[in-house]
């Protein structure tokens, strides 16, 4: 998946913002909480990191090119180092799932605001 399509998809999710952090990482957030990181090497994607459930973690890390994300909660975040490991539609679905997992932990008032968008 190309960087511009990945950014466009993520930014289309309600109230999503993006900041550059930790050197060359684009960090996508909803209500100030991250749900997606894109590690860059210049203008090229070096890895995509997103949140998942422990069950999804086992499923995903069984795929070549996907492993535990460094510096993130064990068994809750994965890093896709080889974008060919997931078809584009599945990667988008996993990013949406990450967004939903983060939103589910937000205060009810913020969740209600997000549903209106």
């Amino acid at each position: 998946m190309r960087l511009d399509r990945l950014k466009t998809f993520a930014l289309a999710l309600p109230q999503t913002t993006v900041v550059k952090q930790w050197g060359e990482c684009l960090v996508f957030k909803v209500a100030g909480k991250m749900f997606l990181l894109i590690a860059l090497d210049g203008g090229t994607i070096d890895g995509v990191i997103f949140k998942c459930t422990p069950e999804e973690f086992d499923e995903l890390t069984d795929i070549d090119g996907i492993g535990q994300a460094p510096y993130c909660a064990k068994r809750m975040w994965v890093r896709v180092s080889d974008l060919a490991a997931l078809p584009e539609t599945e990667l988008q679905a996993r990013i949406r799932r990450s967004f939903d997992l983060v939103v589910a932990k937000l205060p009810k008032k913020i969740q209600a605001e997000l549903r209106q968008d």
Side-chain angles (χ1 to χ4, degrees):
M1 176 180 249
R2 294 189 47 144
L3 178 58
D4 56 340
R5 287 200 314 266
L6 188 55
K7 285 172 39 178
T8 299
F9 174 80
L11 287 170
L13 297 172
Q15 295 187 28
T16 294
T17 59
V18 63
V19 295
K20 198 170 201 179
Q21 278 182 242
W22 306 307
E24 288 293 308
C25 284
L26 298 177
V27 182
F28 294 80
K29 300 179 180 186
V30 58
K33 303 291 183 184
M34 70 178 186
F35 68 91
L36 172 67
L37 288 91
I38 302 175
L40 299 175
D41 182 7
T44 306
I45 298 174
D46 189 41
V48 175
I49 297 171
F50 54 85
K51 187 175 183 69
C52 62
T53 66
E55 297 78 24
E56 292 167 332
F57 179 89
D58 290 335
E59 172 190 338
L60 287 165
T61 55
D62 281 344
I63 300 170
D64 287 338
I66 302 176
Q68 180 183 339
Y71 313 111
C72 295
K74 188 174 182 180
R75 300 183 48 78
M76 298 294 283
W77 291 84
V78 295
R79 181 177 191 274
V80 180
S81 55
D82 179 2
L83 292 183
L86 294 174
E88 184 172 334
T89 54
E90 184 174 351
L91 180 58
Q92 288 176 341
R94 298 289 183 167
I95 291 168
R96 177 60 201 223
R97 173 82 169 128
S98 177
F99 175 89
D100 292 340
L101 288 169
V102 171
V103 167
K105 297 288 187 179
L106 295 173
K108 299 295 181 201
K109 181 179 179 180
I110 295 174
Q111 289 183 35
E113 291 171 6
L114 287 168
R115 283 193 290 274
Q116 293 175 356
D117 283 353

